[in-house]
Amino acid sequence: MEEKKILAIFGGSFNPPLNSHFSLAQQIVNEYENIEKVIFVPVNSKYEKEGLLENEHRYNMLKLVCDKNKDFIVSDIELKQEKQLHTIETLELLQNEYPNNIICFTMGTDNLKEISKWGSSEKLVTDFKILVLERDEDSMDEIIKNDEFLLKYKESFIKLKENIRSNISSTFVREKIKRGKSIRYLTPDEVYYYIKENNLY
């Protein structure tokens, strides 16, 4: 029987999407032969975050890039909802949409430290694999070793083999735009021109 392929779920605000988002996603596909695609899942604008651009623009920017890469998909699964979904709800909907794939959620070590406090955290780590990106000086193994909950479910966590580390954030890029500075090469060209054409931020 053929082994099921993995879909890596990459959630975020993508406000705007950066080159670092896409280079990280490409690295995930490169590193793991069994990962079929990365699915970008932008959060709903109902998510309480200051300065979050409308759903339509963030989706369009992701789609412009993902449509040119066979390894990437953008999903509007959260954008279609009347409320902001919890992570477990999003993953369950995606599992229903892709029943022949294994759904693997991507998170940074900053969220790994907090996951035991999330609602349905036990179900999340039982039903789904978690691909962990080490942030700053963090070590996934050390974080798991020092947390009783994570240690119990340590088989659910997969460490990205070689991590791209970038200190450039979407906040940094938005500030550049507000100050009238160029963001060329911080975002893909498709995103750069979309922001200019639509006079965003």
Side-chain angles (χ1 to χ4, degrees):
M1 189 175 173
E2 191 179 348
E3 192 178 358
K4 283 187 175 183
K5 289 283 190 180
I6 295 170
L7 295 175
I9 309 307
F10 192 170
S13 303
F14 303 112
N15 188 36
L18 308 179
N19 278 333
S20 54
H21 292 137
F22 298 108
S23 57
L24 183 54
Q26 190 64 62
Q27 184 186 344
I28 290 169
V29 176
N30 292 349
E31 288 288 346
Y32 297 94
E33 289 177 12
N34 206 31
I35 291 183
E36 187 173 22
K37 291 181 188 293
V38 173
I39 302 183
F40 290 84
V41 183
V43 298
N44 198 309
S45 57
K46 294 180 176 64
Y47 181 68
E48 292 180 10
K49 197 164 186 178
E50 193 179 341
L52 190 59
L53 206 61
E54 295 94 332
N55 290 340
E56 177 191 6
H57 287 310
R58 290 180 295 112
Y59 177 82
N60 287 345
M61 286 188 283
L62 283 166
K63 188 160 173 54
L64 283 169
V65 178
C66 291
D67 281 354
K68 293 183 176 179
N69 190 320
K70 64 176 179 54
D71 296 327
F72 298 165
I73 303 173
V74 57
S75 170
D76 63 355
I77 203 155
E78 290 197 3
L79 307 183
K80 295 186 292 190
Q81 309 302 318
E82 292 300 311
K83 64 180 181 75
Q84 177 57 41
L85 299 179
H86 294 293
T87 300
I88 189 72
E89 295 174 306
T90 299
L91 296 179
E92 286 172 343
L93 286 172
L94 286 165
Q95 187 68 82
N96 289 337
E97 192 173 332
Y98 300 98
N100 298 319
N101 290 94
I102 295 166
I103 298 296
C104 183
F105 184 60
T106 307
M107 69 164 59
T109 41
D110 50 342
N111 283 322
L112 180 66
K113 295 170 188 174
E114 303 293 324
I115 195 173
S116 60
K117 300 171 190 169
W118 292 13
S120 308
S121 56
E122 196 158 0
K123 186 169 175 54
L124 179 65
V125 297
T126 304
D127 292 358
F128 301 98
K129 293 287 187 185
I130 312 292
L131 184 64
V132 180
L133 315 172
E134 291 178 329
R135 293 269 167 86
D136 302 320
E137 301 305 314
D138 284 345
S139 159
M140 184 193 89
D141 297 327
E142 284 298 313
I143 293 166
I144 290 174
K145 189 172 76 175
N146 293 304
D147 186 301
E148 198 176 318
F149 174 82
L150 298 178
L151 200 55
K152 183 179 176 184
Y153 297 104
K154 64 180 181 182
E155 298 307 316
S156 297
F157 303 101
I158 305 164
K159 179 164 64 175
L160 188 63
K161 292 173 189 170
E162 292 180 40
N163 197 6
I164 293 174
R165 296 174 187 261
S166 171
N167 58 3
I168 295 171
S169 66
S170 293
T171 305
F172 173 85
V173 169
R174 292 197 303 274
E175 287 300 320
K176 285 269 187 198
I177 297 169
K178 284 175 188 169
R179 289 167 50 211
K181 305 293 184 185
S182 175
I183 59 160
R184 193 82 190 271
Y185 311 117
L186 298 176
T187 64
D189 281 348
E190 296 87 350
V191 172
Y192 171 76
Y193 288 115
Y194 185 91
I195 289 170
K196 284 192 77 169
E197 285 164 14
N198 291 279
N199 198 26
L200 303 179
Y201 304 109

